[in-house]
Amino acid sequence: MALSDTVQIVTDAFKGVGVDEKCLIENLGKWKAEEGSSFRKSSDLFEKDNERNLEHWRKQHLKHLQNEFLRFNNAVVWWTMHPWERDARLVKKAIKQGSESYGILVEVACSRSSDDLLGARKAYHSLFHHSIEEDVAFKLHSTPQNKLLVALVSAYRYEGGKVKEDHAKSDAKTLASVIKNNTEKKSLVEDEQVLRILTTKSKLHLKEVCEQYNKISDGKNLDEDFGITDLRLQETVQCLCAPQKYFTKVLEQSLQNNDGNKRLKKAVTRVIVTRADNGMKDIKEEFKKKLSVDLSTKIGETSKGNYKDFLLALIERGH
């Protein structure tokens, strides 16, 4: 299969002495999904897993490029990865880093399509010779979040367009009752009814549940009511029903971070790289609505150099 000019340019840039960063910014920021696939299939930088139909970075090349691209904060390396590999690596790192990063597990499990989450689980098998489910269950076995997070990463939700309004109303009433009766304001992360609804129902169904909840709860939002007692439940509802709201919050916290928190700083890269082709338009609109400033403007103010230029190129894909 003949390579497109863009794929050939990117291939040459990676194989040269050093890396032509300007070339990568200009071309990677514009390439299409099929060009990314062509690059991974044609380059010896990647290893083929035929069983799972996946090309992933060879370990030795990945280490080299992570050092080479230190100024890019891994943005270029993440962008060239197969999305399944990228999510698998994000999950692996989140599990290793501990509780402060468990929101990334919610993010991957709830903001991706069912097929993409399944693909991330396949990539995790290929890369780490474990399943996401077993690693999450083992690492979090003694925490209250265990059942929620294992169920979320294991889910394969219905993605059709059919929603039964009466079922959504029933689920909304159930959640409203659970929250109302939680007079001691304890975390509901282990409540069986909450887990059943949030970890098994389709996203369209849950969006209708949120609308019905708003109607019967005096205009209150479900994610905000969960947030009073448990951040993970709030994140779960937002990622499933209003991902632009969740990602705007992550970007806001990251871009306003002044204490040198590396985890927060890396969140900017993660969100922009993973959402460049998946909902960036909605994220930009929500960001502007909440903060009264364009996301591109804020990135320009808080970043610099080739890293800034590459992020801006990815954001512009979301028109």
Side-chain angles (χ1 to χ4, degrees), residues 128-147:
F128 308 117
H129 311 294
H130 289 263
S131 72
I132 290 178
E133 297 92 328
E134 67 178 304
D135 280 359
V136 171
F138 175 75
K139 182 69 174 181
L140 280 73
H141 73 278
S142 61
T143 71
Q145 306 168 52
N146 183 34
K147 289 183 180 179

Side-chain angles (χ1 to χ4, degrees), residues 4-29:
S4 72
D5 291 342
T6 299
V7 172
Q8 189 62 59
I9 288 170
V10 172
T11 301
D12 292 343
F14 273 116
K15 289 190 174 183
V17 178
V19 177
D20 186 341
E21 295 180 352
K22 293 294 185 184
C23 168
L24 288 174
I25 292 168
E26 181 179 350
N27 289 280
L28 284 178

Side-chain angles (χ1 to χ4, degrees), residues 66-308:
Q66 285 173 332
N67 291 326
E68 185 77 39
F69 286 114
L70 189 59
R71 286 176 294 160
F72 273 83
N73 284 358
N74 293 329
V76 169
V77 176
W78 283 6
W79 180 245
T80 55
M81 281 183 187
H82 193 294
W84 296 354
E85 178 186 1
R86 188 168 60 219
D87 281 344
R89 292 188 182 279
L90 285 171
V91 167
K92 181 68 172 178
K93 196 164 188 177
I95 294 172
K96 183 178 180 180
Q97 288 178 331
S99 59
E100 288 190 353
S101 295
Y102 290 163
I104 297 175
L105 301 181
V106 175
E107 181 180 311
V108 172
C110 299
S111 69
R112 283 27 168 190
S113 69
S114 291
D115 283 340
D116 283 339
L117 178 56
L118 179 60
R121 297 207 294 265
K122 290 180 178 180
Y124 200 94
H125 291 175
S126 178
L127 292 164
F128 308 117
H129 311 294
H130 289 263
S131 72
I132 290 178
E133 297 92 328
E134 67 178 304
D135 280 359
V136 171
F138 175 75
K139 182 69 174 181
L140 280 73
H141 73 278
S142 61
T143 71
Q145 306 168 52
N146 183 34
K147 289 183 180 179
L148 171 69
L149 292 175
V150 171
L152 289 177
V153 299
S154 305
Y156 190 86
R157 299 174 192 271
Y158 166 70
E159 293 192 335
K162 294 184 178 181
V163 176
K164 293 184 177 180
E165 186 176 332
D166 57 334
H167 289 186
K169 285 182 178 179
S170 176
D171 284 342
K173 289 178 181 178
T174 297
L175 293 176
S177 176
V178 170
I179 291 171
K180 183 179 179 180
N181 292 327
N182 184 25
T183 55
E184 296 183 7
K185 302 300 180 184
K186 294 181 178 179
S187 172
L188 297 172
V189 74
E190 294 182 284
D191 185 272
E192 291 185 5
Q193 296 281 42
V194 171
L195 290 176
R196 175 183 64 81
I197 294 170
L198 295 186
T199 66
T200 65
K201 301 301 180 74
S202 75
K203 292 180 182 180
L204 278 180
H205 175 89
L206 290 170
K207 287 180 181 179
E208 181 65 26
V209 169
C210 287
E211 291 182 11
Q212 296 298 332
Y213 182 89
N214 183 269
K215 291 177 182 178
I216 64 176
S217 300
D218 299 323
K220 295 180 181 178
N221 294 325
L222 179 60
D223 65 315
E224 293 172 355
D225 279 353
F226 274 141
I228 293 173
T229 61
D230 198 280
L231 175 62
R232 294 293 169 250
L233 291 179
Q234 182 182 65
E235 291 171 340
T236 298
V237 173
Q238 288 180 349
C239 283
L240 288 167
C241 302
Q244 72 278 7
K245 186 175 180 179
Y246 166 83
F247 286 114
T248 291
K249 180 179 69 176
V250 173
L251 288 169
E252 179 185 8
Q253 292 173 343
S254 304
L255 293 170
Q256 293 180 350
N257 168 50
N258 296 316
D259 61 0
N261 188 313
K262 292 182 179 180
R263 179 180 59 84
L264 285 176
K265 288 183 176 180
K266 288 181 179 179
V268 176
T269 306
R270 185 183 81 245
V271 171
I272 293 176
V273 168
T274 61
R275 298 296 89 192
D277 287 334
N278 296 279
M280 180 56 71
K281 182 175 182 293
D282 291 337
I283 293 170
K284 289 194 295 185
E285 290 176 355
E286 179 69 20
F287 191 92
K288 178 68 177 290
K289 176 182 175 183
K290 184 176 182 182
L291 301 176
S292 300
V293 62
D294 289 328
L295 177 58
S296 295
T297 300
K298 192 66 176 177
I299 292 295
E301 293 172 350
T302 56
S303 306
K304 57 186 177 181
N306 291 326
Y307 173 63
K308 176 191 72 176

Side-chain angles (χ1 to χ4, degrees), residues 28-69:
L28 284 178
K30 298 176 182 177
W31 77 354
K32 300 175 182 177
E34 55 266 27
E35 290 175 308
S37 177
S38 179
F39 171 65
R40 289 187 291 271
K41 291 179 185 298
S42 63
S43 175
D44 59 8
L45 298 171
F46 293 83
E47 182 176 339
K48 174 75 172 179
D49 183 336
N50 291 310
E51 181 181 351
R52 299 174 182 87
N53 192 28
L54 173 73
E55 299 83 31
H56 59 78
W57 276 99
R58 294 184 184 277
K59 190 173 182 179
Q60 66 272 29
H61 292 307
L62 185 59
K63 285 185 176 180
H64 166 72
L65 287 169
Q66 285 173 332
N67 291 326
E68 185 77 39
F69 286 114

